[in-house]
Amino acid sequence: MTRFLPAFFQSARSLASMVAPFCCDNENKRQLWPGSLVLNASNSATKKESAKPRRSAVSRHRASFRENTITAYENRLRIYSQPSKVFRYFATIKMRNKAGRWEIFMTPSDFLRSILPGIPQPENLGLDKYRVLDEKGVEKWESKMKRDSIFFKLETKGLLTFSDYVLLTILLSIPQRHIEIGFKLFDLNGDGTLSIHDLESLLLAITQGEASAMNTHLKNTLFGPKLNKHLTLAQFLEFFQDLTEEILNLEYEMLLKDRSVISELDFSKLVLSYKSSPTERHLALKRVKKKYGQKMEGITKAEFIDFFRLVKELDAVDMALSFHYLAGADISRQTLGRIAEVVAGVTLTEHMMDVIFTIFDADRNGVLGRREFIKALRIQRTRTHSVRNHFRLTSALNVVCKCAWRTLPVRNSKKTCFSYS
């Protein structure tokens, strides 16, 4: 019987198409039959006019939903995934190294996307998807960075290996004062210099064993091709400051979007990109859009760099804010400006201070909430590396036991108790 159903539905559809023209008022162009717009083939013009706006609206909505979903996924990937997975996702080049083995490399643009939230990965380039280059392709490939870039000091073509990626991301999250203290502690003979083995011990101590200089291009840059030079504190700090300044300049240029300055809304999206509460993030962006939507002044490059220098000294800022909080003093604009000057050595402009308080002062009483302010900026400071959870065997066994318990068949207690009665 079921084999006749397709023929039945086909005949019913043909009959409906024959009846539809008689159920349509041709003079007033008013539909008397609900499905006549779809079934009436003669009314093609009306069909096109009514279908186009709806189709474009649906496609626009779907495109926006897709972009937002991918952006949210990539932001979660930056925070919670292991460094190896983040590197494999954002790296775009696969080629043979000098030993003849295939190796994955990051371009400077890939590196910026891996640490800058909200910047999407190019189409068809994701996890374990790369541009494969042979020997001729490697010779022809050139980076778009300027020749005086810090990336060319690491490698002749400006490409980064996985070890380079891990080391640079962690260096960008370390305050300068920590490097100065660590340098003096590991300078055992007191001559003001470090060997490559001393620097290796310093990096392993600062990064808790996550970063090593032995397998990176940085060792040749700082200690020469034979690794026999000694590094002074001034030389290392110069490299560190050049790296930080160039990365901040590149991030700012990536956010410009063909403008002279970035908007307050784009800056707020960057600051709140890792905020855990979507509702609070939406309300904060709504406040910024309402205040600066019509009269956009913009965030200059100097304001952008000064703000993230303050973010880099977030631990000291948090301590200073806690002192004011325990003393019963309100964290006002003058207080925050004074802390930024003393702790980070930067001067926040009135406009930047206004934007900060618009973002974080939810009740608009002119007082900054310390916890919300520090929590939102902590992941920005750490460049997404300190939030990762390490794998533990006990946690894995706990998850397995829970899954096994939930998948057990549900037994009826009455049947089990009275099955033999």
Side-chain angles (χ1 to χ4, degrees):
M1 185 65 183
T2 56
R3 66 177 179 269
F4 297 107
L5 290 177
F8 173 75
F9 284 117
Q10 184 66 26
S11 60
R13 186 174 181 180
S14 302
L15 180 62
S17 61
M18 294 172 60
V19 176
F22 300 100
C23 299
C24 183
D25 187 0
N26 291 327
E27 293 181 0
N28 299 325
K29 302 295 182 183
R30 182 171 55 89
Q31 303 295 333
L32 302 177
W33 181 266
S36 59
L37 181 61
V38 179
L39 298 174
N40 187 7
S42 63
N43 196 7
S44 59
T46 309
K47 178 179 178 180
K48 291 180 180 178
E49 292 175 2
S50 60
K52 280 184 179 179
R54 183 178 180 182
R55 194 173 299 155
S56 61
V58 172
S59 62
R60 196 184 309 117
H61 171 72
R62 287 178 178 174
S64 177
F65 176 78
R66 181 176 179 272
E67 291 174 1
N68 293 334
T69 304
I70 294 175
T71 301
Y73 167 74
E74 291 178 348
N75 285 342
R76 291 195 304 271
L77 187 77
R78 292 180 179 99
I79 302 175
Y80 299 110
S81 295
Q82 295 296 325
S84 58
K85 185 174 181 180
V86 179
F87 180 80
R88 286 162 46 210
Y89 186 89
F90 289 99
T92 58
I93 290 183
K94 183 178 182 180
M95 64 182 185
R96 293 185 186 274
N97 56 15
K98 296 180 180 179
R101 298 178 180 178
W102 289 101
E103 192 173 358
I104 303 170
F105 293 93
M106 261 187 175
T107 65
S109 300
D110 300 338
F111 178 75
L112 289 174
R113 283 195 303 272
S114 68
I115 63 175
L116 192 60
I119 304 298
Q121 184 74 349
E123 291 288 340
N124 303 323
L125 292 174
L127 186 63
D128 295 331
K129 296 180 180 178
Y130 315 106
R131 297 187 180 100
V132 180
L133 301 180
D134 54 8
E135 295 180 358
K136 295 182 179 179
V138 173
E139 294 177 358
K140 294 181 180 179
W141 189 88
E142 292 183 1
S143 176
K144 298 180 180 178
M145 305 295 295
K146 297 179 180 179
R147 296 309 301 178
D148 59 346
S149 172
I150 195 73
F151 294 99
F152 289 111
K153 295 180 181 180
L154 296 175
E155 204 267 339
T156 55
K157 288 187 173 294
L159 297 176
L160 303 177
T161 61
F162 174 68
S163 300
D164 297 330
Y165 161 74
V166 174
L167 181 60
L168 292 184
T169 49
I170 293 181
L171 281 179
L172 289 172
S173 66
I174 299 175
Q176 180 173 328
R177 65 181 66 190
H178 291 183
I179 293 179
E180 294 175 354
I181 294 173
F183 198 96
K184 294 177 181 178
L185 288 175
F186 284 87
D187 181 16
L188 300 179
N189 55 6
D191 62 348
T193 62
L194 292 182
S195 65
I196 185 171
H197 300 289
D198 296 333
L199 181 65
E200 176 77 5
S201 303
L202 172 62
L203 292 176
L204 291 176
I206 291 179
T207 63
Q208 299 179 359
E210 291 191 15
S212 173
M214 299 303 292
N215 299 323
T216 66
H217 294 116
L218 180 63
K219 59 182 181 181
N220 297 326
T221 304
L222 299 178
F223 297 97
K226 296 183 179 180
L227 306 181
N228 55 357
K229 295 183 179 180
H230 281 70
L231 181 68
T232 64
L233 177 60
Q235 291 173 342
F236 190 67
L237 287 181
E238 182 182 0
F239 169 80
F240 177 76
Q241 292 168 358
D242 290 344
L243 173 66
T244 304
E245 186 175 354
E246 180 169 350
I247 293 299
L248 288 176
N249 286 327
L250 292 174
E251 288 180 353
Y252 185 83
E253 292 174 2
M254 190 171 284
L255 294 170
L256 278 179
K257 298 179 180 179
D258 300 328
R259 292 193 297 260
S260 58
V261 292
I262 63 174
S263 65
E264 289 84 357
L265 185 61
D266 290 339
F267 175 77
S268 304
K269 289 180 180 178
L270 175 64
V271 172
L272 299 173
S273 54
Y274 293 128
K275 194 168 182 61
S276 57
S277 175
T279 304
E280 294 179 2
R281 180 177 184 271
H282 174 72
L283 292 176
L285 294 178
K286 189 176 181 180
R287 291 195 300 269
V288 174
K289 189 174 182 180
K290 182 179 179 180
K291 186 168 186 178
Y292 300 101
Q294 301 297 332
K295 49 176 184 178
M296 188 196 79
E297 183 177 341
I299 305 295
T300 63
K301 183 183 290 187
E303 291 175 332
F304 183 86
I305 292 175
D306 287 342
F307 175 79
F308 280 99
R309 282 180 178 170
L310 175 66
V311 171
K312 202 165 187 179
E313 302 288 343
L314 197 61
D315 292 335
V317 173
D318 188 18
M319 185 180 296
L321 291 176
S322 63
F323 287 157
H324 283 81
Y325 179 78
L326 292 174
D330 294 334
I331 304 174
S332 60
R333 301 190 181 195
Q334 292 78 10
T335 302
L336 183 61
R338 177 62 178 169
I339 291 174
E341 235 178 279
V342 173
V343 173
V346 299
T347 302
L348 298 178
T349 63
E350 289 295 329
H351 178 61
M352 175 56 72
M353 199 78 70
D354 194 34
V355 174
I356 293 174
F357 273 79
T358 304
I359 297 172
F360 295 103
D361 186 11
D363 50 5
R364 303 178 186 180
N365 60 351
V367 178
L368 195 67
R370 181 177 67 90
R371 290 184 179 179
E372 292 77 9
F373 179 70
I374 298 298
K375 186 178 179 181
L377 298 181
R378 191 169 295 280
I379 303 178
Q380 293 284 348
R381 193 280 309 270
T382 56
R383 296 289 180 178
T384 73
H385 261 283
S386 67
V387 192
R388 299 184 176 91
N389 298 319
H390 296 286
F391 179 79
R392 294 181 180 178
L393 182 60
T394 55
S395 302
L397 291 175
N398 189 20
V399 171
V400 171
C401 292
K402 285 184 178 180
C403 293
W405 177 258
R406 291 178 181 177
T407 54
L408 288 175
V410 180
R411 295 182 177 87
N412 193 337
S413 59
K414 293 184 179 180
K415 289 183 180 181
T416 305
C417 296
F418 302 104
S419 58
Y420 299 100
S421 59

